[in-house]
Amino acid sequence: MTPIMQIRDLSVGYASRRAVGLAVTSVNLDVEKGEILGVVGESGCGKTTLAVALLGLIESPGVIQSGSVQLRLADDKLVDLVGLAPRPLRQIRWKEIAYIPQGSMSALNPVLRVRQQMTDTLVQHGLSKAEAIERARWALNLVSLDAAVLDKYPHELSGGMNQRVAIATAVTMQPAILVADEPTTALDVVTQRSILQELVKIRDQFGTTIIVISHDMGVMAQVVDRMAVMYAGRIAELGLVLNIFDAPLHPYTQKLIGSIPKDTGQHLEGLEGEAPSLWAYPPGCRFHPRCSLATAICREQTPELREIISGQYAACHHCD
Amino acid sequence: MDSFPLRQKRSSSQNLSALQARLQPYLPTAKYILKRIGIYFLTVLGAVTLAFIFFHLMPGDPLSIVFSQLEKTNLGRVTGGAEVAEAYKRLLGLDQPLPVQYLLFLRNVLIGGFDLGPSFVAFPTSTRDVIFRQLPWTIGYFTSAMLIAWLIGTTIGALLGWLRRIGLTSVAVGIATLLNITPVYIIAIAAIIFFGYHLHWLPTGQPYDPGLTPNWGDIEFIKNVLRHAIMPIASVVLVWGASFSLGMRSLMISVLGEDYLSYAKAKGLTPFMILRDYAFRNALLPQVTALGIALGNTINGVLILEAIFVVPGVGGLFVRAMAIHDFNVMQGVVLLSTVAVLTLSLIVDLLLPFLDPRIRRSND
Amino acid sequence: MFTKTNKRRNIRTVPLFIFVSASLLLASCAPVAAPTAVEKEVTRVVKETQVVKETQVVKETQVVKETQVVTQTQIVKLVYGNLPRNETLIIAGTASNDVWDTFSMMSGPLTNAYSGYQQVGIEQAFLFAGGKYYPYLAQKWEYNKDGTEMTLYLTTNATWNDGKPVTIDDWTFTLDYLHANKDKGVPFGTMLDTTKYRTDGTDKIIFSFFDAKDPKKAVPNWRFHQSIASFVPLAKHVWEGQDPLKFKNNPPVEAGPYKLVSCNADTKTCIWQRRDDYWKKDEKLSPKYIVFTRQPEPDLLTQDLISGNFDLSQLNAKLATTAVMPKNPNISMVEWPDPCPRQLMFNMEKAPLNDPAIRHAMSLLIDRERAGKLDNPAAKPGVLPWPYQGDPTSPFVDPADLKNYDVGVFDPAKAAQVLDDAGYKLVDGKRVDQNGKPLSFSIMTFDPSVHGAAVNGFPQMMAEEAAKIGVEILPKVVEVGVFFDNAQKGNFDMMYQWVCGAPQDPLAAYSFLHSRYYKPIGTATGFGQHLGYKDPATDALIEKVEQGNPADPALADTYKQLFHTVTSQWLYVPLFSLYQGFPWNNEYFTGIKNQVEPWYWMYQFRGMLMYIDPTQK
Ligand SMILES: Nc1ncnc2c1ncn2[C@@H]1O[C@H](COP(=O)(O)OP(=O)(O)O)[C@@H](O)[C@H]1O
Ligand code: SF4
Ligand SMILES: [Mg+2]
C-alpha cells in the first residue's frame, strides 16, 4: 500500500525573541490511504502544531524548521505542502485535505450564518451558489443535522451541533484527508460517541483518510486503526491500536494506558511530573526525567524510532 | 418572553399561532429594543434633572455678578444695578423658589419641546432658537468631519492591521500615533499658519468671506463655504482619523488572532474574502460603537476648534454663555450634548443586534 | 505576536517621529513668499509739532527714515467684498454675547459691545474724553444757583441717519418712554423718580431734582450732567409703541456718524459706512468704512496683525510687543491708564484686621511695582484710588498724607517695626496678637484669566514677604462666582477689588464707605459694602461731597479730608494701576494717541476717532 501522506523529518517551532522552540521535532510518519490514524499525547506535546503543519497553516511566530509533508494527489503526483505557494496551497486545502478545528465553537465566525460559512469555500472552489447550498444540505444530512441549521448563527447551536457543522463543512468537498483536532473535547460522553461514529461513517462511505488528534486514549480505543503516541514533540510509539493497547512498548505509552480509568476500580497509576516545556527539553531521551527505567544512555542519547516488533515502532533505548 | 400578549390567544386561533411562530425569533429583539428605549428615557430625565441641579447650585447669582461688575466699572449704562438685576430675574423666572423652577423647567423642556426660556447671550431670543441657529454649523463641520474621519480611519486601520507584518506599515502607524497624540488645536493652528498665512492657499478663518451675504441657493456662496470648511474638517479628519485607524488596527489584530480566522484560512478562502467577511466585519462592531461615542462627544470636542477657526457653532456659543453666566444657554448646550450622546448610543444599541447576531440573544 | 521584527519597529519609529516633527517645524518656518513689491527708502518729515516749552515756542522737527513697501502698480486691496482697504478701518474684538441683529441699549449688559453700534452708530449728549466734555446732541448745561435745576441746551441741526431731524420731541419721548419701562431695567429708567423735566418751547430742557420720598422737596444734584452726558435719545418715529426689550431697531436709526451696511451673525462681522449727511460737519471721520469683526485666538491674531489684516484688536500688550511689533513696523501700542485702579480691601470687622496698624503693615508688604509688571511693564504702583497715579497737582489730595501714611510704599522692614510697635510680638518666629494667637490672613482673588496675572501675583509675593516677618498670608484663588458670593457675605479677610473713581470727581472712591451700605458679616446683599466699616464722621463727609458741587473749589477740602480718612486709617490700600494697551496698525490710519479712555469702551471709541488720519490718499 502506498501512503497518501509522507511526513519526513518534520520540525516545527515557535520563534521567541531569542530562539526557536521546537514543538514538533523530526517527525517521520506515513499515513495510509483510508485509515484512521490517531495522534495522542498529553496536552502541549505538539499535536495541534503537527496538525496545523499538515495543512500548511503554520504562521508567524511559528516556523517550519525542516522536513517535508508529501501529499499524494488523486493522479498519484506528490506535492510537498511545506513551501508550497499560497495559490496552489489554497486549491489543495479543503479539496484534498480538510480540517475539523479544535473547539469548533470559536472556530466558527460568530457573526456569520452557518449557510455562509459552509458555502463560501465551495463557491470559492468553483461551485455555483445553488450547488454549494445543495452540497451543504447533503453534508448536514450526513452528520444528522437538519437543513434549518443553515439559517442559524453558531451561538444558536449547541456544542455538539457546532461540531457536527464543522464536520459537515469539512466533508462538503469530499477531501482525501480529514484532520480532526480534538473533535470530542468539551462534549458530553454521549455526544462524543456519536461524533466519533460520524467520523467512522465518513471513512466507511467515502474511504476518506482521517487523522484524529486527541489527548484522550479512550477516543483512540474507540475509532482509531493506528496510532502515534507523541511526547514532547517527538513520536514515542507508533503502531496498530490493538497491539499498542495489548502490549505498549514505550514506558510513556505504558503510563498513559495505565492512567485510563478502568471499571474495575483499581488504583490509577498516574503520570508523575510534568511534560517539559519546548524551551527546555532535557537532553537525550526527553522522557527520562519521568521514566522509571531511565539509565545513563537515556540521558545522553536520543533514542530513534525503531521497529521493535513488526509494524510496531518505539523510540526507547530499553524496550526490546 | 412568555409574558408577551400574543401567547394568550394561541389556542383560539391557528393563524395567530403560526404568526407567533414566525414572530418568535424576533421577540427577544423586540424586548431588547423596548428595554433600551425605556432606559433611554429614564437617562434623559436624569440628565435633565442633573443639568438643572448643577447649574442652579453653581455659586453666585449670575445676574448680580454681571450687573454688579458692570455697575462697578461705572460705565453709566446701568443705573441702579440691583433693580435692573431684579427686573431680569423676574423675566428669566429666577425669582421663583427652586422646586417651582425645577417643575417649570421639566415641563418646558420635556413637554414644551426644549423650551429653556429666553437666552442671556442673545436676549431676548429664546435659548432654543439661539442653540438651533448654531447647531447646523456644528453638525456641518464636525459631525461630517467625524464621519469622514471614521470612514477613512477605519479603512486605513483595517489595512494596517491586515498588513501588520509588512515593515512599511510601521511608518504609517508611527505617523498615526504622532497625529493621535497631537492635540487637534496644534494641528489646526499649524495648518492655518502654513496654508493660510504663508501659502495663502486657504482662508484663515470664518465660515465664509465676511463680505458675502449668505445665500444657500447660490453655488458660488456654497463653494466659498466649502473652501472655508476644508481646514477645520481636515484637521478633525487628520487627528480623529488617526485615532480611529489606530483603534481599528488593534481591533483587526485581535480579530486576526481568533480561531475562526485560521479556520477560514484552512478552508482555502482567498485573503480578500477573509479580510472582508471574517476580519473586517468582526472588527467593525466595536468600531461602530466608537463612532457613536465620538459623534456624541462632538459638541464637547469642537469648542476649541470653533474658537480657532472663528466659525459659528455650539461650542463657541457655550463659551460665550459661560462668560456671562448664561444659565439657560449653558443648560441647553449641556442638555443637548447629553441627549446627543444618549441618543447616539441608543441608535448604536439598536443597530448592534442587526450587525452582531449575538446581541439579540444575550442581554435578554 | 512578539516576533523579532517587533523590536526593530520600535527603534525605527523614534527617528521617524523626529523626522516628521522636524519637517513640520521647518515647513512652518519657511520664508513667506514675497509679494511682487519693490522696497525703497523714502525720507519724509513725520512729525512737525509746535511745543510750548517753558515760555518760548520752539519748532520741533523730527526726521525719520522709513522703509516703505510700494507695490509697483499700487492697486488698493479690496476687503470684505468691495471695501478699499485704505479707506477701511478694521477692528477685531471679542464679544461675549450673541446679539447681531438687534441694535438697542435697552438690555443693559446684554447688548453686543463689539458690533460697532455703540461705537459709531449712536450719538450721545456729550462725549467725555480726556477729562473734557465734548458737545454732540447737546451743546452745554447750566445749573441754577443751589444746584436744584439744570438746563440742558440741545443741538439743533442734528439729524437721524434716515434723514429726519432730531428734535426736542425725541428727547422728551425718550425720557418718558424710558421711565414707563423702568421695570424692564432700561437705562435711565429710574431717573424720573427723582427728576422732573420741563420745556419752554425753545431747544432747552430744564431738569429739576427732588427728594424721592418727598416730591415737593427740592434737592441739589450737581452731578446730573455726568449721567446725562451718556444719554442717547431715541428716534420717536421708530420707537413709539415698541417693547424696549423686543424691538430690534434693525437697521438702526440713530444720530451717529456711521450707518450700518451689514451685520452678519455667522462671521460676526458688522460693516459701517460714513454718513454723507452727517450733521456735525467739523467732525474728523477719516475712515469711510469701519468694520467690526471677530478676532481669532491669540496665536492666530498675531499672524493677522503681522499681515496687517486688522487695524486694532484686543491682543494683550505682552504678545503684541514681543510677537507682532518686531515683525511689522507699522504696529505701535495705544495705551491708557487703568480706569479702575486695583485696591486691597479689608474685612474690618474681623480682629485683628480692625486694628489700623495691621492694615498699615499689610500695605507695607505689597511690592506693587513688581506685581503690576507681571501684566504690563507700564503698570504703576498704586497711590490713589483713582486713575492718573501720582498726579501731584490733584486738588483732592494732601501730599503730606501720601508721605505720612506710606501710601503705595513697599517696606517690609517698616512693616515689622509697625507690628512691633503695636504689640504684635515675635514668638518662635511667629507673630502673635495680644491673646497669643498667630497672625494669619487670607487674600481672596479670582481666576487670572479675567483680570490678568498680577491679580494672583501680588498675594503670592505678599505671602513671601509676610513669612519673613512671621505673619502668615494665604492666597485664596476662587471662581468669579464664588468671589462675588463671598464678597457679598463678608466672607473674606482681605480681598482684591477695583475702584473706578473719576479724577475730576472721585466720589465713587469713597461713597461705598457710607454706613448706609454697611451690612454685618453673613448677611447677603446684592449691592453695598461688606467691609465692616461704620463711622458717622465719614458719613458726614461723604454726604457733604454728595450734595456739593464737584466743580466748586470749596469742596476740595472735604475731598482732602476723605482722602485723609482713608489713608490715615488704611481703610483700603491701593495696589497698582495697570496700563492697558492694544496694538494699532499705522499702515492706513495713523495719528493715534495714548489716551485716558480705552478705545473699546463703547462710545469712548469716538474719542479715538478724533485723532486718526489716513496715510494715503
Ligand atoms: N503561537 C504559539 N507561540 C508559541 N508557542 C506556542 C504557540 N502555539 C503553541 N505553542 C507551544 O507549542 C507547544 C505545542 O502546542 P500544541 O501544538 O498546541 O500542543 P497540543 O495540541 O498537543 O496541546 C506547547 O508547548 C505550546 O505552548
Ligand atoms: S529511552 Fe530511556 S528514558 Fe527514554 S523512555 Fe526509554 S527507558 Fe525511558
Ligand atoms: Mg491542541
Side-chain angles (χ1 to χ4, degrees), chain C residues 456-521:
Chain C
N456 295 328
F458 86 86
Q460 208 59 55
M461 294 175 184
M462 266 180 89
E464 283 162 26
E465 292 301 337
K468 289 182 203 157
I469 62 166
V471 179
E472 185 181 41
I473 284 184
L474 306 161
K476 192 171 148 196
V477 185
V478 296
E479 286 267 10
V480 180
V482 179
F483 181 88
F484 279 95
D485 224 42
N486 286 344
Q488 286 175 8
K489 290 180 180 142
N491 186 12
F492 60 92
D493 293 345
M494 295 185 262
M495 72 169 166
Y496 167 83
Q497 269 295 338
W498 53 103
V499 170
C500 313
Q504 294 76 12
D505 179 17
L507 172 63
Y510 307 111
S511 53
F512 63 89
L513 293 168
H514 194 285
S515 66
R516 75 172 87 102
Y517 298 121
Y518 167 82
K519 289 283 167 354
I521 294 179

Side-chain angles (χ1 to χ4, degrees), chain A residues 250-251 285 287-288 291 293-294 298 303 316-318:
Chain A
H250 198 280
C285 175
F287 188 58
H288 80 251
C291 183
L293 304 178
C298 305
C316 171
H317 295 299
H318 303 294

Side-chain angles (χ1 to χ4, degrees), chain A residues 59 106 109 117 120-121 124, chain B residues 259 265 267 270 278 282:
Chain A
E59 269 191 354
S106 61
N109 188 340
Q117 303 197 54
D120 53 8
T121 325
Q124 159 99 41
Chain B
D259 286 347
K265 245 175 251 170
K267 286 202 291 185
T270 58
Y278 290 80
N282 290 61

Side-chain angles (χ1 to χ4, degrees), chain A residues 42-49 51 99 102 181-182 213-215:
Chain A
E42 282 169 288
S43 170
C45 70
K47 305 181 299 288
T48 298
T49 308
Y99 180 48
Q102 178 172 356
D181 191 359
E182 307 274 10
I213 289 172
S214 178
H215 66 281

Side-chain angles (χ1 to χ4, degrees), chain A residues 55 57 59-60 90 93-94 97 99 101-103 106-113 116-118 120-121 124-125 153 155-156 166 169, chain B residues 164-165 258-271 273 276-279 281-282 285 354-361:
Chain A
L55 287 145
L57 270 176
E59 269 191 354
S60 169
R90 272 208 298 279
R93 282 179 188 155
W94 232 247
I97 178 162
Y99 180 48
Q102 178 172 356
S106 61
L108 294 175
N109 188 340
V111 303
L112 295 184
R113 287 181 203 274
Q116 184 173 354
Q117 303 197 54
M118 282 189 76
D120 53 8
T121 325
Q124 159 99 41
H125 282 285
Y153 290 97
H155 70 270
E156 294 174 313
T169 311
Chain B
R164 68 200 182 285
R165 292 201 211 288
E258 293 284 346
D259 286 347
Y260 52 77
L261 228 95
S262 40
Y263 181 52
K265 245 175 251 170
K267 286 202 291 185
L269 295 179
T270 58
M273 279 174 79
R276 191 191 61 195
D277 293 342
Y278 290 80
R281 240 206 96 146
N282 290 61
L285 294 170
F354 296 95
L355 295 172
D356 186 347
R358 283 166 295 183
I359 289 173
R360 279 177 230 178
R361 259 289 175 77

